């Protein structure tokens, strides 16, 4: 097990590269749960020469759902801007694995966010109650920001 974080932006770029097989991209989009990624050759194309663990599975599971931009807003802020219901965000935060990531993936498919993969990748890599709380905090801070005004 390595202590070094993967380069999530490079990973996303590898996935977007025209040399990356279209069938491999489709394979990742079709998996139903993070554990299903372990049985796909695509995982090993994304992380060549490595023995993937659960962290790799989570990142690969969500890789097809978000494009990259260095100056992107946090995912929570984008969920708020897309008028995603509070209940759906809280549902992700309260769910246990693997349902939490399955529900997160559904939200991502719904709003098609552009994220900073350096930050988003780190959040998914260390996915925990703290990561979920950060997502909820970002959502509510954006939803009730003083500039926008508190909604009722």
């Amino acid at each position: 097990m390595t202590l070094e974080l993967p380069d999530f932006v490079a990973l996303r770029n590898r996935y977007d590269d025209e040399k990356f097989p279209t069938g491999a991209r489709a394979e990742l989009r079709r998996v139903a749960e993070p554990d299903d990624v372990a049985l796909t050759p695509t995982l090993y194309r994304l992380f060549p020469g490595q023995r993937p663990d659960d962290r790799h599975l989570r990142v690969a599971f969500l890789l097809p759902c978000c494009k990259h931009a260095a100056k992107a807003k946090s995912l929570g802020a984008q969920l708020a801007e897309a008028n995603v219901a509070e209940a759906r965000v809280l549902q992700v935060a309260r769910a246990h694995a693997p349902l939490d990531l399955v529900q997160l993936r559904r939200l991502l498919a719904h709003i098609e966010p552009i994220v900073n993969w350096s930050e988003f990748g780190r959040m998914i890599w260390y996915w925990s109650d703290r990561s979920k709380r950060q997502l909820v905090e970002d959502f509510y801070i954006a939803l009730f920001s003083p500039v926008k005004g508190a909604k009722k």
Side-chain angles (χ1 to χ4, degrees), residues 31-136:
V31 296
E33 293 187 2
D35 288 343
D36 297 343
V37 175
L39 303 176
T40 65
T42 304
L43 179 66
Y44 302 95
R45 282 189 173 97
L46 288 171
F47 300 102
Q50 296 181 42
R51 191 171 304 275
D53 59 25
D54 289 347
R55 300 171 301 180
H56 296 88
L57 299 178
R58 289 191 299 264
V59 170
F61 183 67
L62 298 176
L63 192 62
C65 305
C66 306
K67 298 210 179 293
H68 170 72
K71 304 265 186 205
K73 293 182 180 181
S74 72
L75 178 59
Q78 291 185 57
L79 292 170
E81 287 177 4
N83 295 319
V84 171
E86 293 176 54
R88 290 190 73 190
V89 176
L90 293 173
Q91 188 177 36
V92 170
R94 292 176 179 154
H96 298 287
L99 188 58
D100 54 353
L101 288 172
V102 172
Q103 291 172 339
L104 178 60
R105 189 178 192 195
R106 287 179 186 150
L107 279 180
L108 297 175
H110 177 67
I111 69 166
E112 298 178 351
I114 297 174
V115 299
N116 179 338
W117 263 95
S118 293
E119 294 172 13
F120 181 71
R122 184 176 289 112
M123 180 179 83
I124 299 307
W125 189 258
Y126 294 117
W127 188 247
S128 65
D129 289 340
R130 177 68 192 126
S131 304
K132 294 175 188 181
R133 181 175 173 183
Q134 183 69 46
L135 178 68
V136 170

